[in-house]
Amino acid sequence: NQLQKITVLNDRSEKLVGLLHDTGSKDVVIVCHGFAGGKEHKLVVDLCVALEREGISAYRFDFSGNGYVVIDNLVRESDGTWAYGNYMKEAEDICAVVKHLNGANRTVSAIVGHSKGGNVVLLYASKYHDIHTVVNLSGRYDLKA
Ligand SMILES: *[C@@H]1O[C@H](CO)[C@@H](O)[C@H](O)[C@H]1NC(C)=O
Ligand SMILES: *[C@@H]1O[C@H](CO)[C@@H](O)[C@H](O)[C@H]1NC(C)=O
């Protein structure tokens, strides 16, 4: 198994940086971080490692304008500016990642989102109908405000 850095361009030509936990499986699960999170968020990393242990490749990435503080260094690898909402833009980021992985002869079998990422994967699924399994983990539930 290996951890491979994969950079994807979104439809605004912003660079999205992510890591593929590659088990060699054709199927890949995309794991999406939540509000002000990133691919290094513990829950995101743990989920990818758990999938990897089951022999399933998993990809975690930073949405544009997002990225986590990694050990004292403020590392924001993906391009773009951070904003409070950006739900639709993040759904488009997933779209770019799905296209990239499909182009690399992979099959995105599931998308999983945590917290705000849960809402983003649902939004993605409401617009595109190409992913078999969509998982909303502790998504936001009251968006009236
Ligand atoms: C794509 O994957 C299939 C099944 O894993 C394999 O048979 C095929 O050769 C691959 N095609 C390319 C272009 O890598
Ligand atoms: C997403 O998860 C949250 C929290 O578990 C839940 O309240 C919400 O209803 C879920 N959304 C959908 C569309 O199932």
Side-chain angles (χ1 to χ4, degrees):
N1 291 2
Q2 33 170 303
L3 199 58
Q4 192 192 338
K5 189 180 253 192
I6 294 182
T7 300
V8 174
L9 285 185
N10 68 11
D11 60 356
R12 299 169 194 226
S13 298
E14 291 164 339
K15 192 176 69 167
L16 308 174
V17 178
L19 293 165
L20 178 68
H21 296 244
D22 197 358
T23 66
S25 71
K26 189 173 169 74
D27 283 359
V28 182
V29 174
I30 300 173
V31 180
C32 300
H33 70 76
F35 180 73
K39 65 183 179 311
E40 303 302 335
H41 188 282
K42 190 175 182 324
L43 184 141
V44 169
V45 176
D46 286 353
L47 253 173
C48 288
V49 169
L51 286 161
E52 192 182 343
R53 287 201 183 119
E54 298 296 325
I56 303 161
S57 299
Y59 182 70
R60 54 187 166 97
F61 71 104
D62 294 329
F63 284 119
S64 65
N66 283 259
Y68 220 56
V69 178
V70 185
I71 323 165
D72 292 337
N73 290 314
L74 183 62
V75 179
R76 187 159 284 171
E77 295 179 289
S78 289
D79 290 339
T81 46
W82 191 86
Y84 199 83
N86 269 354
Y87 285 88
M88 198 43 105
K89 186 165 188 278
E90 293 188 356
E92 294 312 317
D93 283 352
I94 295 176
C95 184
V97 169
V98 169
K99 277 188 192 147
H100 183 92
L101 292 170
N102 286 340
N105 204 19
R106 300 282 188 151
T107 303
V108 178
S109 53
I111 45 176
V112 181
H114 171 237
S115 188
K116 178 188 171 190
N119 302 84
V120 175
V121 297
L122 290 169
L123 189 60
Y124 176 91
S126 72
K127 188 167 174 197
Y128 302 95
H129 303 274
D130 55 352
I131 309 293
H132 188 262
T133 303
V134 177
V135 183
N136 162 30
L137 287 177
S138 305
R140 292 174 158 186
Y141 60 91
D142 184 356
L143 295 169
K144 280 199 286 290

